[in-house]
Amino acid sequence: MATSTTVSNTENLMKYMKLDQKGAVLAEYVWIDGSNGVRTKTKTLPKPVKDYTELPEWNFDGSSTGQAPGDNSDVYIRPCAIFPDPFRGGDNILVMTETWDHDGTPNKFNYRHEAVRLMDANAKHEPWFGLEQEYTILDADGWPYGWPKGGYPAPQGPYYCGVGTGKVFCRDIVEAHYKACLYAGIKISGINAEVMPSQWEFQVGPCEGIELGDHLWMARFLLYRVAEEFGAKITIDPKPIKGPWNGTGLHTNVSTAEMRRDGGMKAIEDACKKLGERHEEHIAVYGEGNAERMTGENETASIDKYSYAVADRGASIRIPRQCAQEGKGYFEDRRPASNADPYRITAIMMETMFGGMEGVDISKAEKA
């Protein structure tokens, strides 16, 4: 596959992966670092666990992840969700965690904490989220996989949902990731090749409340981890290649109990109006480098203008035609960039639709 310095010998590795663990369980703790990436470390447990509440708190060196100064570097990771481990199998698990500082307050990069508060306060609205994670697969040199070295492929057109050599690249990585997500219990609902060659998308959801953020972040970890084994790189940069090539987004589908009932179109339109009133606040948490993607071209709206419409992929918010015809359903916010934090997206969505909470302001919770 991709030319890489990665050393991997599956046949040799499998001899060791099959060894008896003597009842012990490996728990891979996963957390979000200070640069919007994921980090992990593994803890040995004496026996299998069934719930994250059975797991101990742990810690790491935050000065090495951009999350704490060197003279006070301990950052604590608290388990909040567990998933079966598709790499190690058996009773081994992946653990999604939150980051906390030594004084008992959430780390400045812990956006999950405030998202949970908003979800819990508005649970009666039964919010469903479905996010469409676009990404680009790069070779070891950082160029889109399958593209001519230092050059460009034929213009966009044949690649979206394409089939065949020269139209799609790295399908093996995509398929491996899909199966890994299913094994782990991630609510992945589909995949497809995207408009730019070597650009792909997977969808997570519908998930209710905070579950979406947990599942999408774990799906991102699995993608990075699978690509590692193939010697390829993954980027969620919203505009990895400059010029007339589609950017990568994180389209966000939203539905509440009110929207799903007969006559729910009114609730959808009310939400769209509220989103327009806080356009700048949403853009502030919808990812870094989004201005390069949201130019008003390549199926995007302009970043400085807000609009909503039925079936219009050039609008900020798209209401699917089927929903308009049925008078209920959901809407799609097309503004979030591919590198946006799903905890922040879903949290500000709740804040805008149903009102804020004392001490919580998602749009101002920016990285220090």
Side-chain angles (χ1 to χ4, degrees), residues 155-179:
Q156 295 180 157
Y159 311 111
Y160 173 70
C161 295
V163 177
T165 301
K167 295 182 180 179
V168 293
F169 303 94
C170 297
R171 191 185 292 275
D172 46 1
I173 292 176
V174 177
E175 292 288 339
H177 173 247
Y178 201 169
K179 294 296 287 289

mmCIF file with all atom_site columns, all heavy atoms in Angstrom, residues 155-179:
data_model
loop_
_atom_site.group_PDB
_atom_site.id
_atom_site.type_symbol
_atom_site.label_atom_id
_atom_site.label_alt_id
_atom_site.label_comp_id
_atom_site.label_asym_id
_atom_site.label_entity_id
_atom_site.label_seq_id
_atom_site.pdbx_PDB_ins_code
_atom_site.Cartn_x
_atom_site.Cartn_y
_atom_site.Cartn_z
_atom_site.occupancy
_atom_site.B_iso_or_equiv
_atom_site.pdbx_formal_charge
_atom_site.auth_seq_id
_atom_site.auth_comp_id
_atom_site.auth_asym_id
_atom_site.auth_atom_id
_atom_site.pdbx_PDB_model_num
ATOM 1   N N   . PRO A 1 155 ? -9.872  16.577 -13.312 1.00 0.00 ? 155 PRO A N   1
ATOM 2   C CA  . PRO A 1 155 ? -10.815 17.374 -12.512 1.00 0.00 ? 155 PRO A CA  1
ATOM 3   C C   . PRO A 1 155 ? -11.894 16.525 -11.843 1.00 0.00 ? 155 PRO A C   1
ATOM 4   O O   . PRO A 1 155 ? -12.180 15.398 -12.249 1.00 0.00 ? 155 PRO A O   1
ATOM 5   C CB  . PRO A 1 155 ? -11.425 18.326 -13.546 1.00 0.00 ? 155 PRO A CB  1
ATOM 6   C CG  . PRO A 1 155 ? -10.402 18.424 -14.620 1.00 0.00 ? 155 PRO A CG  1
ATOM 7   C CD  . PRO A 1 155 ? -9.772  17.069 -14.699 1.00 0.00 ? 155 PRO A CD  1
ATOM 8   N N   . GLN A 1 156 ? -12.496 17.104 -10.810 1.00 0.00 ? 156 GLN A N   1
ATOM 9   C CA  . GLN A 1 156 ? -13.556 16.437 -10.066 1.00 0.00 ? 156 GLN A CA  1
ATOM 10  C C   . GLN A 1 156 ? -14.721 16.090 -10.997 1.00 0.00 ? 156 GLN A C   1
ATOM 11  O O   . GLN A 1 156 ? -15.013 16.795 -11.939 1.00 0.00 ? 156 GLN A O   1
ATOM 12  C CB  . GLN A 1 156 ? -14.036 17.331 -8.921  1.00 0.00 ? 156 GLN A CB  1
ATOM 13  C CG  . GLN A 1 156 ? -12.970 17.583 -7.879  1.00 0.00 ? 156 GLN A CG  1
ATOM 14  C CD  . GLN A 1 156 ? -13.435 18.483 -6.739  1.00 0.00 ? 156 GLN A CD  1
ATOM 15  O OE1 . GLN A 1 156 ? -12.876 18.452 -5.666  1.00 0.00 ? 156 GLN A OE1 1
ATOM 16  N NE2 . GLN A 1 156 ? -14.452 19.305 -6.962  1.00 0.00 ? 156 GLN A NE2 1
ATOM 17  N N   . GLY A 1 157 ? -15.379 14.989 -10.657 1.00 0.00 ? 157 GLY A N   1
ATOM 18  C CA  . GLY A 1 157 ? -16.505 14.538 -11.462 1.00 0.00 ? 157 GLY A CA  1
ATOM 19  C C   . GLY A 1 157 ? -16.709 13.043 -11.324 1.00 0.00 ? 157 GLY A C   1
ATOM 20  O O   . GLY A 1 157 ? -17.778 12.583 -10.893 1.00 0.00 ? 157 GLY A O   1
ATOM 21  N N   . PRO A 1 158 ? -15.669 12.227 -11.630 1.00 0.00 ? 158 PRO A N   1
ATOM 22  C CA  . PRO A 1 158 ? -15.859 10.775 -11.584 1.00 0.00 ? 158 PRO A CA  1
ATOM 23  C C   . PRO A 1 158 ? -15.599 10.134 -10.219 1.00 0.00 ? 158 PRO A C   1
ATOM 24  O O   . PRO A 1 158 ? -15.772 8.921  -10.077 1.00 0.00 ? 158 PRO A O   1
ATOM 25  C CB  . PRO A 1 158 ? -14.826 10.272 -12.604 1.00 0.00 ? 158 PRO A CB  1
ATOM 26  C CG  . PRO A 1 158 ? -13.722 11.266 -12.519 1.00 0.00 ? 158 PRO A CG  1
ATOM 27  C CD  . PRO A 1 158 ? -14.395 12.597 -12.286 1.00 0.00 ? 158 PRO A CD  1
ATOM 28  N N   . TYR A 1 159 ? -15.198 10.921 -9.229  1.00 0.00 ? 159 TYR A N   1
ATOM 29  C CA  . TYR A 1 159 ? -14.719 10.327 -7.982  1.00 0.00 ? 159 TYR A CA  1
ATOM 30  C C   . TYR A 1 159 ? -15.813 10.127 -6.935  1.00 0.00 ? 159 TYR A C   1
ATOM 31  O O   . TYR A 1 159 ? -15.752 9.180  -6.148  1.00 0.00 ? 159 TYR A O   1
ATOM 32  C CB  . TYR A 1 159 ? -13.604 11.197 -7.392  1.00 0.00 ? 159 TYR A CB  1
ATOM 33  C CG  . TYR A 1 159 ? -12.543 11.557 -8.401  1.00 0.00 ? 159 TYR A CG  1
ATOM 34  C CD1 . TYR A 1 159 ? -12.397 12.876 -8.847  1.00 0.00 ? 159 TYR A CD1 1
ATOM 35  C CD2 . TYR A 1 159 ? -11.696 10.591 -8.931  1.00 0.00 ? 159 TYR A CD2 1
ATOM 36  C CE1 . TYR A 1 159 ? -11.429 13.215 -9.781  1.00 0.00 ? 159 TYR A CE1 1
ATOM 37  C CE2 . TYR A 1 159 ? -10.725 10.916 -9.870  1.00 0.00 ? 159 TYR A CE2 1
ATOM 38  C CZ  . TYR A 1 159 ? -10.601 12.235 -10.291 1.00 0.00 ? 159 TYR A CZ  1
ATOM 39  O OH  . TYR A 1 159 ? -9.649  12.572 -11.216 1.00 0.00 ? 159 TYR A OH  1
ATOM 40  N N   . TYR A 1 160 ? -16.801 11.007 -6.895  1.00 0.00 ? 160 TYR A N   1
ATOM 41  C CA  . TYR A 1 160 ? -17.854 10.915 -5.882  1.00 0.00 ? 160 TYR A CA  1
ATOM 42  C C   . TYR A 1 160 ? -18.617 9.593  -6.015  1.00 0.00 ? 160 TYR A C   1
ATOM 43  O O   . TYR A 1 160 ? -19.171 9.293  -7.071  1.00 0.00 ? 160 TYR A O   1
ATOM 44  C CB  . TYR A 1 160 ? -18.820 12.101 -6.008  1.00 0.00 ? 160 TYR A CB  1
ATOM 45  C CG  . TYR A 1 160 ? -20.028 12.006 -5.106  1.00 0.00 ? 160 TYR A CG  1
ATOM 46  C CD1 . TYR A 1 160 ? -19.896 12.155 -3.727  1.00 0.00 ? 160 TYR A CD1 1
ATOM 47  C CD2 . TYR A 1 160 ? -21.288 11.776 -5.630  1.00 0.00 ? 160 TYR A CD2 1
ATOM 48  C CE1 . TYR A 1 160 ? -20.994 12.068 -2.898  1.00 0.00 ? 160 TYR A CE1 1
ATOM 49  C CE2 . TYR A 1 160 ? -22.403 11.692 -4.809  1.00 0.00 ? 160 TYR A CE2 1
ATOM 50  C CZ  . TYR A 1 160 ? -22.246 11.836 -3.440  1.00 0.00 ? 160 TYR A CZ  1
ATOM 51  O OH  . TYR A 1 160 ? -23.347 11.739 -2.618  1.00 0.00 ? 160 TYR A OH  1
ATOM 52  N N   . CYS A 1 161 ? -18.596 8.803  -4.933  1.00 0.00 ? 161 CYS A N   1
ATOM 53  C CA  . CYS A 1 161 ? -19.234 7.478  -4.923  1.00 0.00 ? 161 CYS A CA  1
ATOM 54  C C   . CYS A 1 161 ? -18.722 6.615  -6.084  1.00 0.00 ? 161 CYS A C   1
ATOM 55  O O   . CYS A 1 161 ? -19.441 5.756  -6.612  1.00 0.00 ? 161 CYS A O   1
ATOM 56  C CB  . CYS A 1 161 ? -20.762 7.592  -4.979  1.00 0.00 ? 161 CYS A CB  1
ATOM 57  S SG  . CYS A 1 161 ? -21.466 8.383  -3.515  1.00 0.00 ? 161 CYS A SG  1
ATOM 58  N N   . GLY A 1 162 ? -17.478 6.847  -6.476  1.00 0.00 ? 162 GLY A N   1
ATOM 59  C CA  . GLY A 1 162 ? -16.909 6.171  -7.627  1.00 0.00 ? 162 GLY A CA  1
ATOM 60  C C   . GLY A 1 162 ? -16.554 4.721  -7.367  1.00 0.00 ? 162 GLY A C   1
ATOM 61  O O   . GLY A 1 162 ? -16.453 4.263  -6.219  1.00 0.00 ? 162 GLY A O   1
ATOM 62  N N   . VAL A 1 163 ? -16.365 3.994  -8.460  1.00 0.00 ? 163 VAL A N   1
ATOM 63  C CA  . VAL A 1 163 ? -15.976 2.586  -8.415  1.00 0.00 ? 163 VAL A CA  1
ATOM 64  C C   . VAL A 1 163 ? -14.943 2.358  -9.514  1.00 0.00 ? 163 VAL A C   1
ATOM 65  O O   . VAL A 1 163 ? -15.136 2.796  -10.654 1.00 0.00 ? 163 VAL A O   1
ATOM 66  C CB  . VAL A 1 163 ? -17.180 1.648  -8.652  1.00 0.00 ? 163 VAL A CB  1
ATOM 67  C CG1 . VAL A 1 163 ? -16.719 0.189  -8.663  1.00 0.00 ? 163 VAL A CG1 1
ATOM 68  C CG2 . VAL A 1 163 ? -18.252 1.866  -7.591  1.00 0.00 ? 163 VAL A CG2 1
ATOM 69  N N   . GLY A 1 164 ? -13.832 1.708  -9.172  1.00 0.00 ? 164 GLY A N   1
ATOM 70  C CA  . GLY A 1 164 ? -12.851 1.364  -10.184 1.00 0.00 ? 164 GLY A CA  1
ATOM 71  C C   . GLY A 1 164 ? -11.519 2.055  -10.002 1.00 0.00 ? 164 GLY A C   1
ATOM 72  O O   . GLY A 1 164 ? -11.422 3.143  -9.430  1.00 0.00 ? 164 GLY A O   1
ATOM 73  N N   . THR A 1 165 ? -10.468 1.405  -10.513 1.00 0.00 ? 165 THR A N   1
ATOM 74  C CA  . THR A 1 165 ? -9.120  1.955  -10.439 1.00 0.00 ? 165 THR A CA  1
ATOM 75  C C   . THR A 1 165 ? -9.059  3.320  -11.108 1.00 0.00 ? 165 THR A C   1
ATOM 76  O O   . THR A 1 165 ? -9.587  3.521  -12.201 1.00 0.00 ? 165 THR A O   1
ATOM 77  C CB  . THR A 1 165 ? -8.134  0.993  -11.125 1.00 0.00 ? 165 THR A CB  1
ATOM 78  O OG1 . THR A 1 165 ? -8.200  -0.275 -10.479 1.00 0.00 ? 165 THR A OG1 1
ATOM 79  C CG2 . THR A 1 165 ? -6.717  1.532  -11.057 1.00 0.00 ? 165 THR A CG2 1
ATOM 80  N N   . GLY A 1 166 ? -8.406  4.248  -10.453 1.00 0.00 ? 166 GLY A N   1
ATOM 81  C CA  . GLY A 1 166 ? -8.302  5.603  -10.978 1.00 0.00 ? 166 GLY A CA  1
ATOM 82  C C   . GLY A 1 166 ? -9.425  6.513  -10.538 1.00 0.00 ? 166 GLY A C   1
ATOM 83  O O   . GLY A 1 166 ? -9.338  7.731  -10.690 1.00 0.00 ? 166 GLY A O   1
ATOM 84  N N   . LYS A 1 167 ? -10.480 5.921  -9.981  1.00 0.00 ? 167 LYS A N   1
ATOM 85  C CA  . LYS A 1 167 ? -11.600 6.725  -9.478  1.00 0.00 ? 167 LYS A CA  1
ATOM 86  C C   . LYS A 1 167 ? -11.652 6.759  -7.956  1.00 0.00 ? 167 LYS A C   1
ATOM 87  O O   . LYS A 1 167 ? -12.138 7.729  -7.380  1.00 0.00 ? 167 LYS A O   1
ATOM 88  C CB  . LYS A 1 167 ? -12.922 6.174  -10.022 1.00 0.00 ? 167 LYS A CB  1
ATOM 89  C CG  . LYS A 1 167 ? -13.061 6.308  -11.537 1.00 0.00 ? 167 LYS A CG  1
ATOM 90  C CD  . LYS A 1 167 ? -14.410 5.786  -12.006 1.00 0.00 ? 167 LYS A CD  1
ATOM 91  C CE  . LYS A 1 167 ? -14.559 5.928  -13.516 1.00 0.00 ? 167 LYS A CE  1
ATOM 92  N NZ  . LYS A 1 167 ? -15.867 5.395  -13.988 1.00 0.00 ? 167 LYS A NZ  1
ATOM 93  N N   . VAL A 1 168 ? -11.190 5.680  -7.322  1.00 0.00 ? 168 VAL A N   1
ATOM 94  C CA  . VAL A 1 168 ? -11.135 5.631  -5.867  1.00 0.00 ? 168 VAL A CA  1
ATOM 95  C C   . VAL A 1 168 ? -9.767  5.125  -5.430  1.00 0.00 ? 168 VAL A C   1
ATOM 96  O O   . VAL A 1 168 ? -9.110  4.381  -6.156  1.00 0.00 ? 168 VAL A O   1
ATOM 97  C CB  . VAL A 1 168 ? -12.230 4.717  -5.271  1.00 0.00 ? 168 VAL A CB  1
ATOM 98  C CG1 . VAL A 1 168 ? -13.601 5.287  -5.505  1.00 0.00 ? 168 VAL A CG1 1
ATOM 99  C CG2 . VAL A 1 168 ? -12.132 3.315  -5.825  1.00 0.00 ? 168 VAL A CG2 1
ATOM 100 N N   . PHE A 1 169 ? -9.362  5.557  -4.230  1.00 0.00 ? 169 PHE A N   1
ATOM 101 C CA  . PHE A 1 169 ? -8.062  5.168  -3.701  1.00 0.00 ? 169 PHE A CA  1
ATOM 102 C C   . PHE A 1 169 ? -8.219  4.744  -2.237  1.00 0.00 ? 169 PHE A C   1
ATOM 103 O O   . PHE A 1 169 ? -9.002  5.331  -1.499  1.00 0.00 ? 169 PHE A O   1
ATOM 104 C CB  . PHE A 1 169 ? -7.074  6.336  -3.800  1.00 0.00 ? 169 PHE A CB  1
ATOM 105 C CG  . PHE A 1 169 ? -6.913  6.863  -5.200  1.00 0.00 ? 169 PHE A CG  1
ATOM 106 C CD1 . PHE A 1 169 ? -7.674  7.941  -5.642  1.00 0.00 ? 169 PHE A CD1 1
ATOM 107 C CD2 . PHE A 1 169 ? -6.033  6.268  -6.091  1.00 0.00 ? 169 PHE A CD2 1
ATOM 108 C CE1 . PHE A 1 169 ? -7.538  8.423  -6.940  1.00 0.00 ? 169 PHE A CE1 1
ATOM 109 C CE2 . PHE A 1 169 ? -5.894  6.740  -7.387  1.00 0.00 ? 169 PHE A CE2 1
ATOM 110 C CZ  . PHE A 1 169 ? -6.648  7.825  -7.812  1.00 0.00 ? 169 PHE A CZ  1
ATOM 111 N N   . CYS A 1 170 ? -7.470  3.738  -1.854  1.00 0.00 ? 170 CYS A N   1
ATOM 112 C CA  . CYS A 1 170 ? -7.393  3.286  -0.454  1.00 0.00 ? 170 CYS A CA  1
ATOM 113 C C   . CYS A 1 170 ? -8.714  2.746  0.089   1.00 0.00 ? 170 CYS A C   1
ATOM 114 O O   . CYS A 1 170 ? -9.015  2.906  1.271   1.00 0.00 ? 170 CYS A O   1
ATOM 115 C CB  . CYS A 1 170 ? -6.889  4.411  0.445   1.00 0.00 ? 170 CYS A CB  1
ATOM 116 S SG  . CYS A 1 170 ? -5.231  4.958  0.067   1.00 0.00 ? 170 CYS A SG  1
ATOM 117 N N   . ARG A 1 171 ? -9.483  2.074  -0.761  1.00 0.00 ? 171 ARG A N   1
ATOM 118 C CA  . ARG A 1 171 ? -10.727 1.508  -0.263  1.00 0.00 ? 171 ARG A CA  1
ATOM 119 C C   . ARG A 1 171 ? -10.464 0.492  0.863   1.00 0.00 ? 171 ARG A C   1
ATOM 120 O O   . ARG A 1 171 ? -11.318 0.307  1.735   1.00 0.00 ? 171 ARG A O   1
ATOM 121 C CB  . ARG A 1 171 ? -11.506 0.848  -1.399  1.00 0.00 ? 171 ARG A CB  1
ATOM 122 C CG  . ARG A 1 171 ? -12.937 0.462  -1.011  1.00 0.00 ? 171 ARG A CG  1
ATOM 123 C CD  . ARG A 1 171 ? -13.657 -0.288 -2.111  1.00 0.00 ? 171 ARG A CD  1
ATOM 124 N NE  . ARG A 1 171 ? -13.939 0.508  -3.281  1.00 0.00 ? 171 ARG A NE  1
ATOM 125 C CZ  . ARG A 1 171 ? -15.006 1.292  -3.419  1.00 0.00 ? 171 ARG A CZ  1
ATOM 126 N NH1 . ARG A 1 171 ? -15.871 1.414  -2.429  1.00 0.00 ? 171 ARG A NH1 1
ATOM 127 N NH2 . ARG A 1 171 ? -15.197 1.965  -4.552  1.00 0.00 ? 171 ARG A NH2 1
ATOM 128 N N   . ASP A 1 172 ? -9.303  -0.156 0.848   1.00 0.00 ? 172 ASP A N   1
ATOM 129 C CA  . ASP A 1 172 ? -9.011  -1.135 1.894   1.00 0.00 ? 172 ASP A CA  1
ATOM 130 C C   . ASP A 1 172 ? -8.980  -0.493 3.278   1.00 0.00 ? 172 ASP A C   1
ATOM 131 O O   . ASP A 1 172 ? -9.461  -1.074 4.258   1.00 0.00 ? 172 ASP A O   1
ATOM 132 C CB  . ASP A 1 172 ? -7.708  -1.889 1.605   1.00 0.00 ? 172 ASP A CB  1
ATOM 133 C CG  . ASP A 1 172 ? -6.561  -0.998 1.182   1.00 0.00 ? 172 ASP A CG  1
ATOM 134 O OD1 . ASP A 1 172 ? -6.746  0.233  1.114   1.00 0.00 ? 172 ASP A OD1 1
ATOM 135 O OD2 . ASP A 1 172 ? -5.468  -1.535 0.906   1.00 0.00 ? 172 ASP A OD2 1
ATOM 136 N N   . ILE A 1 173 ? -8.436  0.718  3.375   1.00 0.00 ? 173 ILE A N   1
ATOM 137 C CA  . ILE A 1 173 ? -8.429  1.434  4.652   1.00 0.00 ? 173 ILE A CA  1
ATOM 138 C C   . ILE A 1 173 ? -9.848  1.748  5.090   1.00 0.00 ? 173 ILE A C   1
ATOM 139 O O   . ILE A 1 173 ? -10.222 1.586  6.254   1.00 0.00 ? 173 ILE A O   1
ATOM 140 C CB  . ILE A 1 173 ? -7.597  2.728  4.541   1.00 0.00 ? 173 ILE A CB  1
ATOM 141 C CG1 . ILE A 1 173 ? -6.116  2.392  4.363   1.00 0.00 ? 173 ILE A CG1 1
ATOM 142 C CG2 . ILE A 1 173 ? -7.801  3.618  5.772   1.00 0.00 ? 173 ILE A CG2 1
ATOM 143 C CD1 . ILE A 1 173 ? -5.237  3.607  4.146   1.00 0.00 ? 173 ILE A CD1 1
ATOM 144 N N   . VAL A 1 174 ? -10.650 2.206  4.156   1.00 0.00 ? 174 VAL A N   1
ATOM 145 C CA  . VAL A 1 174 ? -12.037 2.585  4.449   1.00 0.00 ? 174 VAL A CA  1
ATOM 146 C C   . VAL A 1 174 ? -12.847 1.382  4.929   1.00 0.00 ? 174 VAL A C   1
ATOM 147 O O   . VAL A 1 174 ? -13.595 1.464  5.911   1.00 0.00 ? 174 VAL A O   1
ATOM 148 C CB  . VAL A 1 174 ? -12.686 3.216  3.198   1.00 0.00 ? 174 VAL A CB  1
ATOM 149 C CG1 . VAL A 1 174 ? -14.149 3.548  3.454   1.00 0.00 ? 174 VAL A CG1 1
ATOM 150 C CG2 . VAL A 1 174 ? -11.923 4.468  2.772   1.00 0.00 ? 174 VAL A CG2 1
ATOM 151 N N   . GLU A 1 175 ? -12.690 0.256  4.241   1.00 0.00 ? 175 GLU A N   1
ATOM 152 C CA  . GLU A 1 175 ? -13.419 -0.954 4.619   1.00 0.00 ? 175 GLU A CA  1
ATOM 153 C C   . GLU A 1 175 ? -12.957 -1.471 5.983   1.00 0.00 ? 175 GLU A C   1
ATOM 154 O O   . GLU A 1 175 ? -13.774 -1.900 6.810   1.00 0.00 ? 175 GLU A O   1
ATOM 155 C CB  . GLU A 1 175 ? -13.230 -2.037 3.551   1.00 0.00 ? 175 GLU A CB  1
ATOM 156 C CG  . GLU A 1 175 ? -13.886 -1.731 2.216   1.00 0.00 ? 175 GLU A CG  1
ATOM 157 C CD  . GLU A 1 175 ? -15.401 -1.847 2.262   1.00 0.00 ? 175 GLU A CD  1
ATOM 158 O OE1 . GLU A 1 175 ? -15.929 -2.532 3.177   1.00 0.00 ? 175 GLU A OE1 1
ATOM 159 O OE2 . GLU A 1 175 ? -16.071 -1.261 1.392   1.00 0.00 ? 175 GLU A OE2 1
ATOM 160 N N   . ALA A 1 176 ? -11.652 -1.447 6.217   1.00 0.00 ? 176 ALA A N   1
ATOM 161 C CA  . ALA A 1 176 ? -11.121 -1.902 7.501   1.00 0.00 ? 176 ALA A CA  1
ATOM 162 C C   . ALA A 1 176 ? -11.651 -1.039 8.643   1.00 0.00 ? 176 ALA A C   1
ATOM 163 O O   . ALA A 1 176 ? -12.032 -1.545 9.710   1.00 0.00 ? 176 ALA A O   1
ATOM 164 C CB  . ALA A 1 176 ? -9.589  -1.879 7.478   1.00 0.00 ? 176 ALA A CB  1
ATOM 165 N N   . HIS A 1 177 ? -11.688 0.270  8.411   1.00 0.00 ? 177 HIS A N   1
ATOM 166 C CA  . HIS A 1 177 ? -12.208 1.188  9.428   1.00 0.00 ? 177 HIS A CA  1
ATOM 167 C C   . HIS A 1 177 ? -13.679 0.925  9.702   1.00 0.00 ? 177 HIS A C   1
ATOM 168 O O   . HIS A 1 177 ? -14.134 0.915  10.862  1.00 0.00 ? 177 HIS A O   1
ATOM 169 C CB  . HIS A 1 177 ? -12.004 2.637  8.973   1.00 0.00 ? 177 HIS A CB  1
ATOM 170 C CG  . HIS A 1 177 ? -12.658 3.645  9.871   1.00 0.00 ? 177 HIS A CG  1
ATOM 171 N ND1 . HIS A 1 177 ? -13.728 4.421  9.461   1.00 0.00 ? 177 HIS A ND1 1
ATOM 172 C CD2 . HIS A 1 177 ? -12.413 3.990  11.156  1.00 0.00 ? 177 HIS A CD2 1
ATOM 173 C CE1 . HIS A 1 177 ? -14.097 5.197  10.448  1.00 0.00 ? 177 HIS A CE1 1
ATOM 174 N NE2 . HIS A 1 177 ? -13.322 4.968  11.485  1.00 0.00 ? 177 HIS A NE2 1
ATOM 175 N N   . TYR A 1 178 ? -14.447 0.692  8.633   1.00 0.00 ? 178 TYR A N   1
ATOM 176 C CA  . TYR A 1 178 ? -15.882 0.426  8.771   1.00 0.00 ? 178 TYR A CA  1
ATOM 177 C C   . TYR A 1 178 ? -16.114 -0.791 9.677   1.00 0.00 ? 178 TYR A C   1
ATOM 178 O O   . TYR A 1 178 ? -16.904 -0.749 10.626  1.00 0.00 ? 178 TYR A O   1
ATOM 179 C CB  . TYR A 1 178 ? -16.460 0.179  7.378   1.00 0.00 ? 178 TYR A CB  1
ATOM 180 C CG  . TYR A 1 178 ? -17.953 0.370  7.220   1.00 0.00 ? 178 TYR A CG  1
ATOM 181 C CD1 . TYR A 1 178 ? -18.511 0.395  5.939   1.00 0.00 ? 178 TYR A CD1 1
ATOM 182 C CD2 . TYR A 1 178 ? -18.820 0.519  8.302   1.00 0.00 ? 178 TYR A CD2 1
ATOM 183 C CE1 . TYR A 1 178 ? -19.881 0.572  5.751   1.00 0.00 ? 178 TYR A CE1 1
ATOM 184 C CE2 . TYR A 1 178 ? -20.180 0.694  8.124   1.00 0.00 ? 178 TYR A CE2 1
ATOM 185 C CZ  . TYR A 1 178 ? -20.712 0.709  6.840   1.00 0.00 ? 178 TYR A CZ  1
ATOM 186 O OH  . TYR A 1 178 ? -22.063 0.885  6.659   1.00 0.00 ? 178 TYR A OH  1
ATOM 187 N N   . LYS A 1 179 ? -15.399 -1.882 9.380   1.00 0.00 ? 179 LYS A N   1
ATOM 188 C CA  . LYS A 1 179 ? -15.573 -3.100 10.165  1.00 0.00 ? 179 LYS A CA  1
ATOM 189 C C   . LYS A 1 179 ? -15.087 -2.908 11.604  1.00 0.00 ? 179 LYS A C   1
ATOM 190 O O   . LYS A 1 179 ? -15.694 -3.446 12.545  1.00 0.00 ? 179 LYS A O   1
ATOM 191 C CB  . LYS A 1 179 ? -14.840 -4.269 9.500   1.00 0.00 ? 179 LYS A CB  1
ATOM 192 C CG  . LYS A 1 179 ? -15.403 -4.691 8.149   1.00 0.00 ? 179 LYS A CG  1
ATOM 193 C CD  . LYS A 1 179 ? -16.818 -5.233 8.279   1.00 0.00 ? 179 LYS A CD  1
ATOM 194 C CE  . LYS A 1 179 ? -16.863 -6.613 8.911   1.00 0.00 ? 179 LYS A CE  1
ATOM 195 N NZ  . LYS A 1 179 ? -16.346 -7.671 8.032   1.00 0.00 ? 179 LYS A NZ  1
#
